[in-house]
Amino acid sequence: MTARSSEVKVYVRTRPTACFAQELIEYLPDEQTVNVRHRRDSRKGVMNNQMSSWSFRLDGVLHNMSQEDVYQSVAHSVVLGALEGYNGTIMCFGQTGAGKTYTMTGATESYKQRGIIPRALQEVFHEVEQRVDHTFSVLLSFLEIYNETLVDLLASIKTGRAVQSGALTVVEEPGGGVSVKGLSLHPVHNEEEALNLLFEGEMNRIIGEHALNKNSSRSHCIFTIHIESRSRTLSGASYVTSKLNLVDLAGSERLSKTGSEGQVQREAMYINRSLSFLEQAIIALADRRREHVPFRQSKLTHALKDSLGGNCNTVLVANIYGEAAQIEETLSTLRFAARMKCVRTEPSINEHVDPALQVRRLHKEIQLLKQELSIHDTLANRAGAAYESLSETQVAEVQSQVQRYLAGTLDEITIVSVRQIQEVFTQFKKAVHEQEQKVKEQLSQKYSLVEKTENIMSSPVKGEEPVGAVGEVEVGFGLGLAVPSQRHTRPQSPNKSKGRKSKESSRMLHEPQVQQRALL
Ligand code: ADP
Ligand code: MG
């Protein structure tokens, strides 16, 4: 399947607030452009009232939009792509409190406010039910990256495929993909089972938060729906797989702003580092001249290696908190979004061939072909019953070919059908007979002269066989039997005719001797 190049889709979503900074953030009616005005150099504390403005053009502005509409704009086509075999990644990026988790998971207490993950699971299982010509298997994994450590949020659940104990590691796969070694994968058969795992994972995240005194906004979460599908109608050994990564990134606020100490500072440092590595990877991906992209610098970029700029439909939601106090974070989030928009991806269907199934399929095909061949053989043997006999023109053509072949003007006769082969033989037989006739007639003309002479010279005694006869031929000729053309008309039993034939052919061999003897 050929890859089609496409840009990462980028949307901006604002968290609703009573004090939206209208004078600083402007959404244009095209629903794609955000203009931001900000006092220059305010960070350095320099009093400067000069305003600068920036304009960001994205794929869509999701302002005052319901969860359902956000899902339709952002996720629907990526989810459908995943069912077709395209990898997909939907990421939420932004400062803490901007609405990343609300967008990705939603408000758990309200069905209407559920986010992209539960809606994606609902759509996946709805499609699986609809697409009766395919069999699907759906598996889930839930990974958290906290302070450069990988945590399996579903490790406590027993339904998962057996995984090795020990630290989780990101491993490169043949073909450029990555996977997390040791991460548990959980088969799910319906929406309810899948939602239970999502909530279980969320719960483990909160438990870990209390136990380790960590803050959920300081960790990155990757919820992955792994899909495998096979066609029921095509008996081929090929199948397609895809990964749909739903990523809730840690808060992107800057360290300087948090002003924190101790563990919080260390967390913030890790977050800042991994997010700045994410930014570096994105800058490298967006620059088409750069051959090396530093994915391995952090666990996050390494784990997302094939989701950011590779074989993937990638969507970024930049969550902003539209209050005046947050304008710097808003600006930095929008800059990140604009860079991400320059990244190109090459999504292609992940098609695989199952070798064992392929061998079985080929074996079956050989059996079928053998059967087909034996049917052909049978038909060929019963050619008279199975096919139309040759037309007069076809017979004439075969006859002409045989004559040209015998004359040496045709090198070979191409075999076309069993009927034609039979006709070629018939024509050969005819040619041989004609030749035989000719020779015999010529000979009999000569011998009738000899015979007359012999009759005059020595008439045999009536009723006696001639002495010294070498065979019937010599006897016949010696006795002056009818010429061969006349003898052929004599009715023969089938058995006799067979014997006759061999005698006739032996006569062909012996006739020169006869001639010699007769002439003596
Ligand atoms: P983040 O994950 O980015 O830190 P949250 O998703 O936790 O932020 O959002 C912070 C708060 O704002 C939550 O109480 C959430 O319900 C609310 N919120 C965020 N975005 C929206 C929105 N679009 N509509 C309604 N409430 C929202
Ligand atoms: Mg959050």
Side-chain angles (χ1 to χ4, degrees), residues 13-17 62-67 70 92-109 113 205 215-218 248-253 319-321:
R13 187 182 199 191
T14 354
R15 173 180 164 179
T17 166
L62 315 170
H63 192 49
N64 289 333
M65 212 182 238
S66 70
Q67 291 284 67
V70 167
C92 285
F93 179 87
Q95 72 181 106
T96 299
K100 298 182 297 296
T101 305
Y102 181 81
T103 301
M104 204 40 86
T105 313
T108 39
E109 63 275 8
Q113 290 184 65
R205 195 181 176 187
N215 184 325
S216 68
S217 72
R218 301 256 165 247
D248 185 352
L249 292 170
S252 63
E253 56 279 357
N319 291 96
I320 59 168
Y321 199 177

Side-chain angles (χ1 to χ4, degrees), residues 428-486:
F428 268 120
K429 195 173 175 184
K430 236 167 124 184
V432 170
H433 274 278
E434 278 169 15
Q435 201 62 28
E436 202 179 47
Q437 299 280 35
K438 251 188 222 164
V439 172
K440 280 176 191 167
E441 272 166 27
Q442 282 170 4
L443 285 174
S444 66
Q445 276 172 11
K446 283 181 188 165
Y447 296 153
S448 61
L449 284 173
V450 176
E451 189 185 328
K452 275 177 195 161
T453 325
E454 277 187 0
N455 279 347
I456 295 163
M457 286 170 71
S458 60
S459 287
V461 181
K462 200 180 173 189
E464 269 186 28
E465 287 290 324
V467 183
V470 182
E472 191 198 33
V473 177
E474 285 149 342
V475 172
F477 276 104
L479 291 170
L481 290 174
V483 292
S485 57
Q486 285 166 319

